[in-house]
Amino acid sequence: MEERKTQQEPQKIIGEGRLSGDKVIVTDSDAVSKLAERGYGFQTTSGLELSLVEAAYLLHRGLLKVKNEKGEEVQFSELVKLAAQGDPDFWLKLNVYADLRNRSFIVRHGVNPREFLLDWKKKNKVHRLLIRIVVEGTKMGFEEFEDMFRRALESDRELVVAVVDKEGVVAYYTVEGGSYEQVSKGTEDSFEVPSE
């Protein structure tokens, strides 16, 4: 009897990007088309601009090669190290981004550096979410929480707080009810994100 391989075939590289500051630019039209179709990046006249979070995720999945300005190939660990120099929250954002992408969601960056926007269809209804990343055990003032909630309401999105524990496990909590008027009457107290 013939033995079957149980491992999945590795993903095939879709394209190649060039590191340019805090972006990775993909110029090959076929790669741009395939990546944009899957919800990655932002199309410009120069090609498809990927954030370093998107590029690191694609590089780790084996879907993208990244080269620096000298034409040398950049490895995943190098890209993460480089990105973390300019953004101390990079690993945290990459962790949540990868978790959401691995759940087959198309994720976009929000205005706040620790925010992602997610639109998904369920039972013929589109759910628009604003996902805010919080590290477990950190203190957050009501003013900051009010700002998150207000921004979600103003953008017609539901607020979801992604709490990341020290092992990197992500738990999602939906913030429901209320209106901006109710939230704006908060106090100056603060609360701590619970540890489980």
Side-chain angles (χ1 to χ4, degrees):
M1 188 177 210
E2 207 172 281
E3 192 175 326
R4 288 185 173 181
K5 290 185 180 180
T6 56
Q7 292 181 340
Q8 287 182 322
E9 258 187 60
Q11 298 258 356
K12 292 185 179 170
I13 291 181
I14 292 176
E16 184 178 289
R18 180 182 39 84
L19 187 60
S20 177
D22 64 347
K23 304 271 185 238
V24 170
I25 312 295
V26 179
T27 55
D28 176 67
S29 59
D30 189 42
V32 167
S33 175
K34 286 178 182 175
L35 290 169
E37 182 180 289
R38 294 180 183 190
Y40 293 104
F42 178 73
Q43 287 188 330
T44 66
T45 54
S46 60
L48 187 72
E49 283 188 6
L50 299 170
S51 70
L52 294 181
V53 169
E54 291 172 309
Y57 175 76
L58 289 166
L59 181 60
H60 185 260
R61 300 271 304 182
L63 297 170
L64 183 74
K65 278 187 182 179
V66 176
K67 293 194 174 180
N68 63 20
E69 291 172 355
K70 296 177 185 175
E72 302 164 333
E73 194 168 333
V74 178
Q75 300 302 313
F76 175 75
S77 58
E78 294 174 83
L79 184 60
V80 169
K81 185 177 179 183
L82 180 71
Q85 289 173 351
D87 181 1
D89 291 332
F90 181 78
W91 189 254
L92 183 68
K93 292 190 283 192
L94 179 59
N95 188 24
V96 174
Y97 182 85
D99 184 65
L100 292 168
R101 271 293 185 169
N102 290 340
R103 295 171 189 252
S104 300
F105 291 120
I106 293 176
V107 184
R108 300 282 183 199
H109 291 280
V111 175
N112 183 292
R114 283 193 175 189
E115 283 178 359
F116 289 117
L117 305 176
L118 189 151
D119 296 339
W120 62 290
K121 203 172 193 177
K122 183 179 177 185
K123 296 182 181 177
N124 297 325
K125 182 181 178 190
V126 176
H127 294 268
R128 296 168 40 85
L129 308 176
L130 185 147
I131 298 170
R132 181 65 176 263
I133 304 168
V134 176
V135 178
E136 179 184 52
T138 58
K139 290 190 176 186
M140 178 185 297
F142 280 110
E143 189 175 301
E144 185 181 353
F145 187 78
E146 175 191 359
D147 181 58
M148 290 185 329
F149 193 68
R150 179 184 47 77
R151 288 176 27 69
L153 287 174
E154 287 175 352
S155 61
D156 194 30
R157 293 182 178 274
E158 189 175 352
L159 177 61
V160 175
V161 179
V163 179
V164 183
D165 71 14
K166 57 187 165 197
E167 284 85 32
V169 177
V170 185
Y172 300 94
Y173 298 93
T174 304
V175 180
E176 295 180 353
S179 67
Y180 175 67
E181 290 75 32
Q182 290 172 327
V183 172
S184 66
K185 295 178 185 173
T187 65
E188 294 300 316
D189 295 336
S190 64
F191 63 93
E192 189 170 321
V193 177
S195 299
E196 295 186 67

PDB file of all heavy atoms in Angstrom, residues 141-177:
ATOM      1  N   GLY A 141      -7.761  54.502  30.801  1.00  0.00           N
ATOM      2  CA  GLY A 141      -8.671  55.498  31.351  1.00  0.00           C
ATOM      3  C   GLY A 141      -9.995  55.481  30.609  1.00  0.00           C
ATOM      4  O   GLY A 141     -10.085  55.063  29.451  1.00  0.00           O
ATOM      5  N   PHE A 142     -11.030  55.944  31.280  1.00  0.00           N
ATOM      6  CA  PHE A 142     -12.336  56.008  30.640  1.00  0.00           C
ATOM      7  C   PHE A 142     -12.335  56.958  29.444  1.00  0.00           C
ATOM      8  O   PHE A 142     -13.065  56.751  28.482  1.00  0.00           O
ATOM      9  CB  PHE A 142     -13.420  56.422  31.644  1.00  0.00           C
ATOM     10  CG  PHE A 142     -13.876  55.277  32.508  1.00  0.00           C
ATOM     11  CD1 PHE A 142     -13.552  55.237  33.847  1.00  0.00           C
ATOM     12  CD2 PHE A 142     -14.606  54.230  31.969  1.00  0.00           C
ATOM     13  CE1 PHE A 142     -13.952  54.177  34.641  1.00  0.00           C
ATOM     14  CE2 PHE A 142     -15.009  53.162  32.743  1.00  0.00           C
ATOM     15  CZ  PHE A 142     -14.686  53.141  34.088  1.00  0.00           C
ATOM     16  N   GLU A 143     -11.486  57.972  29.508  1.00  0.00           N
ATOM     17  CA  GLU A 143     -11.398  58.900  28.383  1.00  0.00           C
ATOM     18  C   GLU A 143     -10.937  58.175  27.115  1.00  0.00           C
ATOM     19  O   GLU A 143     -11.484  58.364  26.037  1.00  0.00           O
ATOM     20  CB  GLU A 143     -10.438  60.034  28.730  1.00  0.00           C
ATOM     21  CG  GLU A 143     -10.440  61.149  27.713  1.00  0.00           C
ATOM     22  CD  GLU A 143      -9.566  62.304  28.157  1.00  0.00           C
ATOM     23  OE1 GLU A 143      -9.832  62.879  29.232  1.00  0.00           O
ATOM     24  OE2 GLU A 143      -8.624  62.618  27.406  1.00  0.00           O
ATOM     25  N   GLU A 144      -9.935  57.312  27.270  1.00  0.00           N
ATOM     26  CA  GLU A 144      -9.443  56.532  26.128  1.00  0.00           C
ATOM     27  C   GLU A 144     -10.505  55.541  25.648  1.00  0.00           C
ATOM     28  O   GLU A 144     -10.721  55.377  24.453  1.00  0.00           O
ATOM     29  CB  GLU A 144      -8.169  55.776  26.523  1.00  0.00           C
ATOM     30  CG  GLU A 144      -7.533  55.034  25.379  1.00  0.00           C
ATOM     31  CD  GLU A 144      -6.281  54.277  25.778  1.00  0.00           C
ATOM     32  OE1 GLU A 144      -5.808  54.426  26.915  1.00  0.00           O
ATOM     33  OE2 GLU A 144      -5.775  53.524  24.923  1.00  0.00           O
ATOM     34  N   PHE A 145     -11.172  54.888  26.613  1.00  0.00           N
ATOM     35  CA  PHE A 145     -12.229  53.944  26.251  1.00  0.00           C
ATOM     36  C   PHE A 145     -13.373  54.672  25.559  1.00  0.00           C
ATOM     37  O   PHE A 145     -13.920  54.202  24.562  1.00  0.00           O
ATOM     38  CB  PHE A 145     -12.732  53.210  27.495  1.00  0.00           C
ATOM     39  CG  PHE A 145     -13.693  52.103  27.164  1.00  0.00           C
ATOM     40  CD1 PHE A 145     -13.231  50.893  26.694  1.00  0.00           C
ATOM     41  CD2 PHE A 145     -15.055  52.296  27.292  1.00  0.00           C
ATOM     42  CE1 PHE A 145     -14.103  49.873  26.361  1.00  0.00           C
ATOM     43  CE2 PHE A 145     -15.938  51.282  26.962  1.00  0.00           C
ATOM     44  CZ  PHE A 145     -15.465  50.068  26.496  1.00  0.00           C
ATOM     45  N   GLU A 146     -13.733  55.853  26.064  1.00  0.00           N
ATOM     46  CA  GLU A 146     -14.795  56.655  25.448  1.00  0.00           C
ATOM     47  C   GLU A 146     -14.424  57.032  24.024  1.00  0.00           C
ATOM     48  O   GLU A 146     -15.253  56.974  23.114  1.00  0.00           O
ATOM     49  CB  GLU A 146     -15.027  57.922  26.277  1.00  0.00           C
ATOM     50  CG  GLU A 146     -16.021  58.875  25.646  1.00  0.00           C
ATOM     51  CD  GLU A 146     -16.047  60.229  26.332  1.00  0.00           C
ATOM     52  OE1 GLU A 146     -15.317  60.439  27.308  1.00  0.00           O
ATOM     53  OE2 GLU A 146     -16.812  61.077  25.870  1.00  0.00           O
ATOM     54  N   ASP A 147     -13.156  57.394  23.816  1.00  0.00           N
ATOM     55  CA  ASP A 147     -12.697  57.759  22.483  1.00  0.00           C
ATOM     56  C   ASP A 147     -12.828  56.583  21.523  1.00  0.00           C
ATOM     57  O   ASP A 147     -13.292  56.736  20.392  1.00  0.00           O
ATOM     58  CB  ASP A 147     -11.242  58.234  22.536  1.00  0.00           C
ATOM     59  CG  ASP A 147     -10.732  58.658  21.172  1.00  0.00           C
ATOM     60  OD1 ASP A 147     -11.341  59.573  20.578  1.00  0.00           O
ATOM     61  OD2 ASP A 147      -9.739  58.067  20.698  1.00  0.00           O
ATOM     62  N   MET A 148     -12.452  55.378  21.972  1.00  0.00           N
ATOM     63  CA  MET A 148     -12.591  54.180  21.130  1.00  0.00           C
ATOM     64  C   MET A 148     -14.048  53.957  20.761  1.00  0.00           C
ATOM     65  O   MET A 148     -14.379  53.705  19.602  1.00  0.00           O
ATOM     66  CB  MET A 148     -12.090  52.927  21.873  1.00  0.00           C
ATOM     67  CG  MET A 148     -10.626  52.868  22.086  1.00  0.00           C
ATOM     68  SD  MET A 148     -10.033  51.321  22.847  1.00  0.00           S
ATOM     69  CE  MET A 148     -11.303  50.751  23.885  1.00  0.00           C
ATOM     70  N   PHE A 149     -14.919  54.038  21.769  1.00  0.00           N
ATOM     71  CA  PHE A 149     -16.336  53.769  21.551  1.00  0.00           C
ATOM     72  C   PHE A 149     -16.964  54.834  20.643  1.00  0.00           C
ATOM     73  O   PHE A 149     -17.725  54.518  19.729  1.00  0.00           O
ATOM     74  CB  PHE A 149     -17.067  53.704  22.901  1.00  0.00           C
ATOM     75  CG  PHE A 149     -18.454  53.138  22.804  1.00  0.00           C
ATOM     76  CD1 PHE A 149     -18.656  51.807  22.488  1.00  0.00           C
ATOM     77  CD2 PHE A 149     -19.559  53.939  23.027  1.00  0.00           C
ATOM     78  CE1 PHE A 149     -19.927  51.272  22.394  1.00  0.00           C
ATOM     79  CE2 PHE A 149     -20.841  53.413  22.934  1.00  0.00           C
ATOM     80  CZ  PHE A 149     -21.027  52.082  22.620  1.00  0.00           C
ATOM     81  N   ARG A 150     -16.606  56.089  20.883  1.00  0.00           N
ATOM     82  CA  ARG A 150     -17.134  57.194  20.062  1.00  0.00           C
ATOM     83  C   ARG A 150     -16.707  57.034  18.609  1.00  0.00           C
ATOM     84  O   ARG A 150     -17.499  57.189  17.691  1.00  0.00           O
ATOM     85  CB  ARG A 150     -16.653  58.533  20.621  1.00  0.00           C
ATOM     86  CG  ARG A 150     -17.128  59.737  19.804  1.00  0.00           C
ATOM     87  CD  ARG A 150     -16.567  61.050  20.322  1.00  0.00           C
ATOM     88  NE  ARG A 150     -15.139  61.032  20.586  1.00  0.00           N
ATOM     89  CZ  ARG A 150     -14.194  61.100  19.654  1.00  0.00           C
ATOM     90  NH1 ARG A 150     -14.515  61.153  18.376  1.00  0.00           N
ATOM     91  NH2 ARG A 150     -12.913  61.085  19.974  1.00  0.00           N
ATOM     92  N   ARG A 151     -15.418  56.690  18.400  1.00  0.00           N
ATOM     93  CA  ARG A 151     -14.925  56.522  17.028  1.00  0.00           C
ATOM     94  C   ARG A 151     -15.639  55.382  16.321  1.00  0.00           C
ATOM     95  O   ARG A 151     -15.937  55.464  15.133  1.00  0.00           O
ATOM     96  CB  ARG A 151     -13.413  56.297  17.043  1.00  0.00           C
ATOM     97  CG  ARG A 151     -12.664  57.570  17.380  1.00  0.00           C
ATOM     98  CD  ARG A 151     -11.175  57.474  17.524  1.00  0.00           C
ATOM     99  NE  ARG A 151     -10.463  56.446  16.805  1.00  0.00           N
ATOM    100  CZ  ARG A 151     -10.303  56.385  15.482  1.00  0.00           C
ATOM    101  NH1 ARG A 151     -10.858  57.300  14.720  1.00  0.00           N
ATOM    102  NH2 ARG A 151      -9.623  55.430  14.929  1.00  0.00           N
ATOM    103  N   ALA A 152     -15.936  54.316  17.050  1.00  0.00           N
ATOM    104  CA  ALA A 152     -16.673  53.193  16.462  1.00  0.00           C
ATOM    105  C   ALA A 152     -18.073  53.639  16.066  1.00  0.00           C
ATOM    106  O   ALA A 152     -18.541  53.353  14.963  1.00  0.00           O
ATOM    107  CB  ALA A 152     -16.740  52.023  17.443  1.00  0.00           C
ATOM    108  N   LEU A 153     -18.754  54.372  16.956  1.00  0.00           N
ATOM    109  CA  LEU A 153     -20.110  54.840  16.657  1.00  0.00           C
ATOM    110  C   LEU A 153     -20.127  55.813  15.483  1.00  0.00           C
ATOM    111  O   LEU A 153     -20.978  55.725  14.608  1.00  0.00           O
ATOM    112  CB  LEU A 153     -20.723  55.525  17.888  1.00  0.00           C
ATOM    113  CG  LEU A 153     -21.132  54.612  19.039  1.00  0.00           C
ATOM    114  CD1 LEU A 153     -21.572  55.446  20.235  1.00  0.00           C
ATOM    115  CD2 LEU A 153     -22.241  53.666  18.616  1.00  0.00           C
ATOM    116  N   GLU A 154     -19.165  56.737  15.467  1.00  0.00           N
ATOM    117  CA  GLU A 154     -19.113  57.726  14.390  1.00  0.00           C
ATOM    118  C   GLU A 154     -18.836  57.092  13.037  1.00  0.00           C
ATOM    119  O   GLU A 154     -19.242  57.617  12.010  1.00  0.00           O
ATOM    120  CB  GLU A 154     -18.055  58.787  14.700  1.00  0.00           C
ATOM    121  CG  GLU A 154     -18.483  59.732  15.807  1.00  0.00           C
ATOM    122  CD  GLU A 154     -17.388  60.705  16.204  1.00  0.00           C
ATOM    123  OE1 GLU A 154     -16.223  60.562  15.734  1.00  0.00           O
ATOM    124  OE2 GLU A 154     -17.680  61.609  17.002  1.00  0.00           O
ATOM    125  N   SER A 155     -18.136  55.981  13.022  1.00  0.00           N
ATOM    126  CA  SER A 155     -17.838  55.310  11.748  1.00  0.00           C
ATOM    127  C   SER A 155     -18.833  54.187  11.462  1.00  0.00           C
ATOM    128  O   SER A 155     -18.609  53.381  10.566  1.00  0.00           O
ATOM    129  CB  SER A 155     -16.406  54.767  11.758  1.00  0.00           C
ATOM    130  OG  SER A 155     -16.237  53.826  12.792  1.00  0.00           O
ATOM    131  N   ASP A 156     -19.911  54.165  12.241  1.00  0.00           N
ATOM    132  CA  ASP A 156     -20.971  53.170  12.073  1.00  0.00           C
ATOM    133  C   ASP A 156     -20.413  51.753  12.150  1.00  0.00           C
ATOM    134  O   ASP A 156     -20.711  50.900  11.329  1.00  0.00           O
ATOM    135  CB  ASP A 156     -21.711  53.402  10.747  1.00  0.00           C
ATOM    136  CG  ASP A 156     -23.016  52.631  10.688  1.00  0.00           C
ATOM    137  OD1 ASP A 156     -23.622  52.402  11.745  1.00  0.00           O
ATOM    138  OD2 ASP A 156     -23.429  52.238   9.567  1.00  0.00           O
ATOM    139  N   ARG A 157     -19.572  51.532  13.165  1.00  0.00           N
ATOM    140  CA  ARG A 157     -18.964  50.229  13.378  1.00  0.00           C
ATOM    141  C   ARG A 157     -19.202  49.769  14.807  1.00  0.00           C
ATOM    142  O   ARG A 157     -19.402  50.572  15.699  1.00  0.00           O
ATOM    143  CB  ARG A 157     -17.456  50.279  13.117  1.00  0.00           C
ATOM    144  CG  ARG A 157     -17.125  50.527  11.670  1.00  0.00           C
ATOM    145  CD  ARG A 157     -15.622  50.533  11.416  1.00  0.00           C
ATOM    146  NE  ARG A 157     -15.364  50.720  10.004  1.00  0.00           N
ATOM    147  CZ  ARG A 157     -15.321  49.741   9.120  1.00  0.00           C
ATOM    148  NH1 ARG A 157     -15.505  48.508   9.490  1.00  0.00           N
ATOM    149  NH2 ARG A 157     -15.085  49.995   7.847  1.00  0.00           N
ATOM    150  N   GLU A 158     -19.154  48.468  14.996  1.00  0.00           N
ATOM    151  CA  GLU A 158     -19.262  47.882  16.321  1.00  0.00           C
ATOM    152  C   GLU A 158     -17.851  47.772  16.898  1.00  0.00           C
ATOM    153  O   GLU A 158     -16.919  47.376  16.199  1.00  0.00           O
ATOM    154  CB  GLU A 158     -19.887  46.489  16.186  1.00  0.00           C
ATOM    155  CG  GLU A 158     -20.264  45.836  17.461  1.00  0.00           C
ATOM    156  CD  GLU A 158     -20.989  44.506  17.213  1.00  0.00           C
ATOM    157  OE1 GLU A 158     -21.318  44.188  16.046  1.00  0.00           O
ATOM    158  OE2 GLU A 158     -21.201  43.795  18.196  1.00  0.00           O
ATOM    159  N   LEU A 159     -17.688  48.143  18.163  1.00  0.00           N
ATOM    160  CA  LEU A 159     -16.375  48.093  18.791  1.00  0.00           C
ATOM    161  C   LEU A 159     -16.104  46.687  19.319  1.00  0.00           C
ATOM    162  O   LEU A 159     -16.914  46.111  20.037  1.00  0.00           O
ATOM    163  CB  LEU A 159     -16.297  49.098  19.949  1.00  0.00           C
ATOM    164  CG  LEU A 159     -14.992  49.111  20.746  1.00  0.00           C
ATOM    165  CD1 LEU A 159     -13.802  49.467  19.861  1.00  0.00           C
ATOM    166  CD2 LEU A 159     -15.098  50.094  21.912  1.00  0.00           C
ATOM    167  N   VAL A 160     -14.943  46.160  18.932  1.00  0.00           N
ATOM    168  CA  VAL A 160     -14.476  44.872  19.432  1.00  0.00           C
ATOM    169  C   VAL A 160     -13.090  45.117  20.016  1.00  0.00           C
ATOM    170  O   VAL A 160     -12.217  45.661  19.351  1.00  0.00           O
ATOM    171  CB  VAL A 160     -14.405  43.809  18.313  1.00  0.00           C
ATOM    172  CG1 VAL A 160     -13.795  42.522  18.829  1.00  0.00           C
ATOM    173  CG2 VAL A 160     -15.785  43.563  17.728  1.00  0.00           C
ATOM    174  N   VAL A 161     -12.910  44.720  21.271  1.00  0.00           N
ATOM    175  CA  VAL A 161     -11.606  44.871  21.919  1.00  0.00           C
ATOM    176  C   VAL A 161     -10.874  43.532  21.825  1.00  0.00           C
ATOM    177  O   VAL A 161     -11.394  42.508  22.262  1.00  0.00           O
ATOM    178  CB  VAL A 161     -11.771  45.305  23.397  1.00  0.00           C
ATOM    179  CG1 VAL A 161     -10.416  45.435  24.067  1.00  0.00           C
ATOM    180  CG2 VAL A 161     -12.536  46.626  23.485  1.00  0.00           C
ATOM    181  N   ALA A 162      -9.692  43.574  21.216  1.00  0.00           N
ATOM    182  CA  ALA A 162      -8.853  42.376  21.090  1.00  0.00           C
ATOM    183  C   ALA A 162      -7.837  42.417  22.216  1.00  0.00           C
ATOM    184  O   ALA A 162      -6.913  43.226  22.199  1.00  0.00           O
ATOM    185  CB  ALA A 162      -8.154  42.353  19.735  1.00  0.00           C
ATOM    186  N   VAL A 163      -8.024  41.566  23.224  1.00  0.00           N
ATOM    187  CA  VAL A 163      -7.117  41.525  24.373  1.00  0.00           C
ATOM    188  C   VAL A 163      -6.072  40.441  24.120  1.00  0.00           C
ATOM    189  O   VAL A 163      -6.413  39.279  23.900  1.00  0.00           O
ATOM    190  CB  VAL A 163      -7.897  41.245  25.680  1.00  0.00           C
ATOM    191  CG1 VAL A 163      -6.942  41.184  26.871  1.00  0.00           C
ATOM    192  CG2 VAL A 163      -8.966  42.310  25.903  1.00  0.00           C
ATOM    193  N   VAL A 164      -4.806  40.854  24.158  1.00  0.00           N
ATOM    194  CA  VAL A 164      -3.699  39.936  23.895  1.00  0.00           C
ATOM    195  C   VAL A 164      -2.998  39.636  25.221  1.00  0.00           C
ATOM    196  O   VAL A 164      -2.547  40.553  25.907  1.00  0.00           O
ATOM    197  CB  VAL A 164      -2.697  40.534  22.896  1.00  0.00           C
ATOM    198  CG1 VAL A 164      -1.591  39.540  22.567  1.00  0.00           C
ATOM    199  CG2 VAL A 164      -3.405  40.991  21.630  1.00  0.00           C
ATOM    200  N   ASP A 165      -2.924  38.342  25.581  1.00  0.00           N
ATOM    201  CA  ASP A 165      -2.264  37.982  26.844  1.00  0.00           C
ATOM    202  C   ASP A 165      -0.760  37.830  26.632  1.00  0.00           C
ATOM    203  O   ASP A 165      -0.260  37.965  25.507  1.00  0.00           O
ATOM    204  CB  ASP A 165      -2.899  36.737  27.480  1.00  0.00           C
ATOM    205  CG  ASP A 165      -2.617  35.439  26.738  1.00  0.00           C
ATOM    206  OD1 ASP A 165      -1.720  35.413  25.863  1.00  0.00           O
ATOM    207  OD2 ASP A 165      -3.301  34.444  27.021  1.00  0.00           O
ATOM    208  N   LYS A 166      -0.029  37.554  27.710  1.00  0.00           N
ATOM    209  CA  LYS A 166       1.436  37.510  27.619  1.00  0.00           C
ATOM    210  C   LYS A 166       1.955  36.359  26.770  1.00  0.00           C
ATOM    211  O   LYS A 166       3.095  36.378  26.324  1.00  0.00           O
ATOM    212  CB  LYS A 166       2.058  37.493  29.012  1.00  0.00           C
ATOM    213  CG  LYS A 166       1.618  36.370  29.893  1.00  0.00           C
ATOM    214  CD  LYS A 166       2.146  36.541  31.300  1.00  0.00           C
ATOM    215  CE  LYS A 166       1.392  35.616  32.236  1.00  0.00           C
ATOM    216  NZ  LYS A 166       1.565  35.990  33.607  1.00  0.00           N
ATOM    217  N   GLU A 167       1.127  35.340  26.526  1.00  0.00           N
ATOM    218  CA  GLU A 167       1.520  34.250  25.627  1.00  0.00           C
ATOM    219  C   GLU A 167       1.173  34.549  24.172  1.00  0.00           C
ATOM    220  O   GLU A 167       1.435  33.743  23.288  1.00  0.00           O
ATOM    221  CB  GLU A 167       0.841  32.927  26.040  1.00  0.00           C
ATOM    222  CG  GLU A 167       1.455  32.276  27.262  1.00  0.00           C
ATOM    223  CD  GLU A 167       0.884  32.826  28.562  1.00  0.00           C
ATOM    224  OE1 GLU A 167      -0.309  33.208  28.575  1.00  0.00           O
ATOM    225  OE2 GLU A 167       1.629  32.898  29.548  1.00  0.00           O
ATOM    226  N   GLY A 168       0.524  35.677  23.932  1.00  0.00           N
ATOM    227  CA  GLY A 168       0.148  36.058  22.569  1.00  0.00           C
ATOM    228  C   GLY A 168      -1.213  35.556  22.133  1.00  0.00           C
ATOM    229  O   GLY A 168      -1.595  35.711  20.987  1.00  0.00           O
ATOM    230  N   VAL A 169      -1.969  34.952  23.063  1.00  0.00           N
ATOM    231  CA  VAL A 169      -3.313  34.474  22.741  1.00  0.00           C
ATOM    232  C   VAL A 169      -4.257  35.677  22.705  1.00  0.00           C
ATOM    233  O   VAL A 169      -4.230  36.524  23.594  1.00  0.00           O
ATOM    234  CB  VAL A 169      -3.792  33.425  23.776  1.00  0.00           C
ATOM    235  CG1 VAL A 169      -5.215  32.981  23.489  1.00  0.00           C
ATOM    236  CG2 VAL A 169      -2.846  32.238  23.793  1.00  0.00           C
ATOM    237  N   VAL A 170      -5.092  35.723  21.677  1.00  0.00           N
ATOM    238  CA  VAL A 170      -5.997  36.854  21.491  1.00  0.00           C
ATOM    239  C   VAL A 170      -7.424  36.444  21.851  1.00  0.00           C
ATOM    240  O   VAL A 170      -7.906  35.403  21.400  1.00  0.00           O
ATOM    241  CB  VAL A 170      -5.979  37.356  20.025  1.00  0.00           C
ATOM    242  CG1 VAL A 170      -6.826  38.606  19.874  1.00  0.00           C
ATOM    243  CG2 VAL A 170      -4.559  37.600  19.548  1.00  0.00           C
ATOM    244  N   ALA A 171      -8.070  37.260  22.675  1.00  0.00           N
ATOM    245  CA  ALA A 171      -9.491  37.068  23.012  1.00  0.00           C
ATOM    246  C   ALA A 171     -10.222  38.329  22.568  1.00  0.00           C
ATOM    247  O   ALA A 171      -9.735  39.447  22.776  1.00  0.00           O
ATOM    248  CB  ALA A 171      -9.667  36.842  24.501  1.00  0.00           C
ATOM    249  N   TYR A 172     -11.377  38.150  21.950  1.00  0.00           N
ATOM    250  CA  TYR A 172     -12.151  39.272  21.421  1.00  0.00           C
ATOM    251  C   TYR A 172     -13.386  39.511  22.271  1.00  0.00           C
ATOM    252  O   TYR A 172     -14.106  38.578  22.586  1.00  0.00           O
ATOM    253  CB  TYR A 172     -12.558  38.996  19.962  1.00  0.00           C
ATOM    254  CG  TYR A 172     -11.359  38.799  19.064  1.00  0.00           C
ATOM    255  CD1 TYR A 172     -10.862  37.520  18.810  1.00  0.00           C
ATOM    256  CD2 TYR A 172     -10.707  39.874  18.499  1.00  0.00           C
ATOM    257  CE1 TYR A 172      -9.761  37.329  18.010  1.00  0.00           C
ATOM    258  CE2 TYR A 172      -9.603  39.692  17.690  1.00  0.00           C
ATOM    259  CZ  TYR A 172      -9.126  38.425  17.448  1.00  0.00           C
ATOM    260  OH  TYR A 172      -8.023  38.245  16.656  1.00  0.00           O
ATOM    261  N   TYR A 173     -13.624  40.789  22.601  1.00  0.00           N
ATOM    262  CA  TYR A 173     -14.785  41.176  23.396  1.00  0.00           C
ATOM    263  C   TYR A 173     -15.543  42.271  22.658  1.00  0.00           C
ATOM    264  O   TYR A 173     -14.967  43.285  22.274  1.00  0.00           O
ATOM    265  CB  TYR A 173     -14.358  41.691  24.779  1.00  0.00           C
ATOM    266  CG  TYR A 173     -13.637  40.645  25.591  1.00  0.00           C
ATOM    267  CD1 TYR A 173     -12.244  40.553  25.564  1.00  0.00           C
ATOM    268  CD2 TYR A 173     -14.347  39.728  26.351  1.00  0.00           C
ATOM    269  CE1 TYR A 173     -11.577  39.582  26.294  1.00  0.00           C
ATOM    270  CE2 TYR A 173     -13.689  38.748  27.084  1.00  0.00           C
ATOM    271  CZ  TYR A 173     -12.303  38.687  27.050  1.00  0.00           C
ATOM    272  OH  TYR A 173     -11.659  37.712  27.762  1.00  0.00           O
ATOM    273  N   THR A 174     -16.836  42.059  22.476  1.00  0.00           N
ATOM    274  CA  THR A 174     -17.678  43.040  21.813  1.00  0.00           C
ATOM    275  C   THR A 174     -18.209  44.020  22.840  1.00  0.00           C
ATOM    276  O   THR A 174     -18.676  43.622  23.896  1.00  0.00           O
ATOM    277  CB  THR A 174     -18.877  42.339  21.123  1.00  0.00           C
ATOM    278  OG1 THR A 174     -18.361  41.350  20.239  1.00  0.00           O
ATOM    279  CG2 THR A 174     -19.712  43.322  20.338  1.00  0.00           C
ATOM    280  N   VAL A 175     -18.128  45.305  22.528  1.00  0.00           N
ATOM    281  CA  VAL A 175     -18.680  46.341  23.393  1.00  0.00           C
ATOM    282  C   VAL A 175     -20.031  46.708  22.817  1.00  0.00           C
ATOM    283  O   VAL A 175     -20.124  47.165  21.675  1.00  0.00           O
ATOM    284  CB  VAL A 175     -17.754  47.574  23.452  1.00  0.00           C
ATOM    285  CG1 VAL A 175     -18.355  48.643  24.349  1.00  0.00           C
ATOM    286  CG2 VAL A 175     -16.376  47.168  23.928  1.00  0.00           C
ATOM    287  N   GLU A 176     -21.084  46.474  23.582  1.00  0.00           N
ATOM    288  CA  GLU A 176     -22.442  46.675  23.073  1.00  0.00           C
ATOM    289  C   GLU A 176     -23.188  47.731  23.861  1.00  0.00           C
ATOM    290  O   GLU A 176     -22.856  48.034  24.996  1.00  0.00           O
ATOM    291  CB  GLU A 176     -23.227  45.369  23.152  1.00  0.00           C
ATOM    292  CG  GLU A 176     -22.690  44.287  22.268  1.00  0.00           C
ATOM    293  CD  GLU A 176     -23.469  42.999  22.362  1.00  0.00           C
ATOM    294  OE1 GLU A 176     -24.361  42.885  23.225  1.00  0.00           O
ATOM    295  OE2 GLU A 176     -23.180  42.094  21.581  1.00  0.00           O
ATOM    296  N   GLY A 177     -24.257  48.214  23.220  1.00  0.00           N
ATOM    297  CA  GLY A 177     -25.205  49.109  23.884  1.00  0.00           C
ATOM    298  C   GLY A 177     -24.692  50.520  24.009  1.00  0.00           C
ATOM    299  O   GLY A 177     -23.565  50.847  23.695  1.00  0.00           O
TER     300      GLY A 177
END
